[in-house]
Amino acid sequence: MQRSRIPLLSALLLPALAPAAHASDDVSIKFSGRLYYDVARFDNDDRGSRERDNDDLRAAWLAASGSFHGVDYKFEGDFAGHRPVARDVYLARRFGTTTVTVGQFKQFFTLDDRASANHIPTLERSYLAQTLAPTYRLGVGANGYRDGLFWSGSAYSLESIDAWKVKGRGLGGRAGYVPWSEPGHVLHLAAAVAREDYDNPGRSGAAALRVQPRVAGYFGDNSRLLLLDFRNGRDVQVDKYGLEAAGVHQAWSWQAEYGAAHYDDGQQKARVRSGYVQGSWLLTGEPRSYDARTGRFVQLKPAREGGAWELVARYDHIQGEQWPQTRRDQAADAWTVGVNWYAVKHLRVMVDWTDTRRRDELAARTLDHTGVLAGRVQLDF
């Protein structure tokens, strides 16, 4: 029997009705969260496995955050699946314009991944963010800003609170320059690097190292594209880099990124390259909101009672090669167009159409051509 989600939704929404609690000037707590209900309808061709239309409560996050005698904290989990999954769980301390963080937090890599899913203009992140960004990992990091410069770095485990079978460690950093940053006038330039060392993937209880993005979106399990697979137990060294540029000119905004990762276990090698170009136009005239201190886009505030309307378009590409023992060269492309309605500050309705193609470059053939119409009702508080 399918379990009812009504008690879950009630538990998530109740904290939104309560104000932040302050025990004293040195102790505070506030609650926040998000609910995403997603739906997808697929247009399959006669190649490859067919995708099935689907809908689900994709995200049901609840967080408690605040400060305790000068130390900031956050405890956040996602309760949408069969079991809770930890997201941000950390302590942080500020020293002037620098913040030091210890615990589980999203690592510093790619503009697309650094922005909250609450604020990105498409339902799905780019292939670059899906495959190369380390996302939530246990570690220690620091980030800061000064005079148009922002920077961040971290040392982290490849494990997370809920995933202990990925063994290894990483070092990463991201830095950028924002020569212009004011409402309606932004230029962002940045780069990121990371080094990750995987311990015996596929052996001794460690998970295999695979890069396998969902080309056709969250519900597109049958359209996963296997770009590389290390499972022979040899340690794998991974070097990553990413380049970023973005801008805002009144109601128009754009962003573009390119990145790559090189994998080597001493016998097998692999490489993933990915990039995208994205643009958006707010028909109601609001400029897209940007935070120069952290180098990322943040929450849009509609300026009119009827809300804000946004059009977005993106081209996305990824390619993965592996050699010499296992020969693999596969690629994917996607065109996405979408419309977003920001009904109020914390409520958004999104609709995207994405046209995807998967190719086997070694065999010079198209594996499948799938279109997906996806939508979301999003509430955050």
Side-chain angles (χ1 to χ4, degrees), residues 315-342:
Y315 170 71
D316 212 346
H317 174 78
I318 192 167
Q319 184 169 358
E321 305 163 83
Q322 189 168 357
W323 71 94
Q325 296 173 329
T326 299
R327 295 285 297 171
R328 184 180 284 113
D329 186 355
Q330 302 205 49
D333 295 273
W335 288 92
T336 298
V337 293
V339 58
N340 302 317
W341 176 40
Y342 300 80

Side-chain angles (χ1 to χ4, degrees), residues 1-18:
M1 179 182 297
Q2 185 177 9
R3 61 186 177 94
S4 171
R5 297 189 186 270
I6 294 176
L8 168 63
L9 299 182
S10 301
L12 285 167
L13 290 173
L14 279 175
L17 305 177

Side-chain angles (χ1 to χ4, degrees), residues 7 10 16 40 95 102 117 124 160 162 168 253 265 277 279 288 293 325:
S10 301
F95 301 91
V102 179
E124 307 296 342
S160 63
D162 303 289
S253 71
D265 72 356
V277 178
R288 195 172 174 202
R293 297 171 302 174
Q325 296 173 329

Side-chain angles (χ1 to χ4, degrees), residues 217-235:
Y218 174 73
F219 295 109
D221 280 334
N222 293 330
S223 295
R224 283 183 176 271
L225 184 67
L226 182 60
L227 301 178
L228 59 89
D229 188 359
F230 289 87
R231 56 169 60 229
N232 293 323
R234 293 186 294 272
D235 295 349

Side-chain angles (χ1 to χ4, degrees), residues 30-196:
K30 67 176 181 179
F31 295 98
S32 60
R34 66 182 71 173
L35 294 171
Y36 299 168
Y37 194 85
D38 283 15
V39 58
R41 298 292 181 263
F42 291 95
D43 179 17
N44 298 282
D45 68 2
D46 56 2
R47 291 167 289 193
S49 300
R50 295 179 62 83
E51 300 291 358
R52 295 184 178 181
D53 299 344
N54 208 341
D55 62 276
D56 198 8
L57 182 64
R58 179 168 174 178
W61 293 28
L62 180 63
S65 61
S67 64
F68 184 83
H69 298 286
V71 177
D72 296 329
Y73 65 86
K74 188 173 185 179
F75 302 96
E76 182 177 56
D78 184 0
F79 300 88
H82 297 296
R83 61 181 181 85
V85 177
R87 299 301 184 185
D88 278 326
V89 180
Y90 63 75
L91 301 176
R93 181 67 184 267
R94 299 177 186 176
F95 301 91
T97 60
T98 299
T99 301
V100 177
T101 304
V102 179
Q104 177 167 294
F105 54 94
K106 185 179 282 190
Q107 300 303 309
F108 307 103
F109 200 91
T110 86
L111 173 64
D112 192 33
D113 191 59
R114 290 303 302 158
S116 167
N118 290 339
H119 313 317
I120 60 175
T122 56
L123 271 78
E124 307 296 342
R125 297 191 190 273
S126 64
Y127 294 153
L128 174 68
Q130 289 183 45
T131 55
L132 299 190
T135 68
Y136 294 95
R137 294 289 185 266
L138 292 163
V140 56
N143 62 284
Y145 63 93
R146 185 174 181 178
D147 298 331
L149 297 171
F150 65 88
W151 60 269
S152 53
S154 60
Y156 55 93
S157 169
L158 298 181
E159 298 171 322
S160 63
I161 292 174
D162 303 289
W164 291 93
K165 292 187 177 181
V166 181
K167 305 297 184 180
R169 66 216 63 83
L171 288 170
R174 177 175 178 254
Y177 178 52
V178 187
W180 308 306
S181 178
E182 59 188 50
H185 190 53
V186 174
L187 178 62
H188 163 107
L189 302 168
V193 294
R195 168 66 180 270
E196 297 177 346

Side-chain angles (χ1 to χ4, degrees), residues 194-198 209 236-240 261-264:
R195 168 66 180 270
E196 297 177 346
D197 293 285
Y198 287 78
L209 170 56
V236 181
Q237 296 178 349
V238 185
D239 294 301
K240 302 178 179 180
H262 299 266
Y263 303 75
D264 190 347

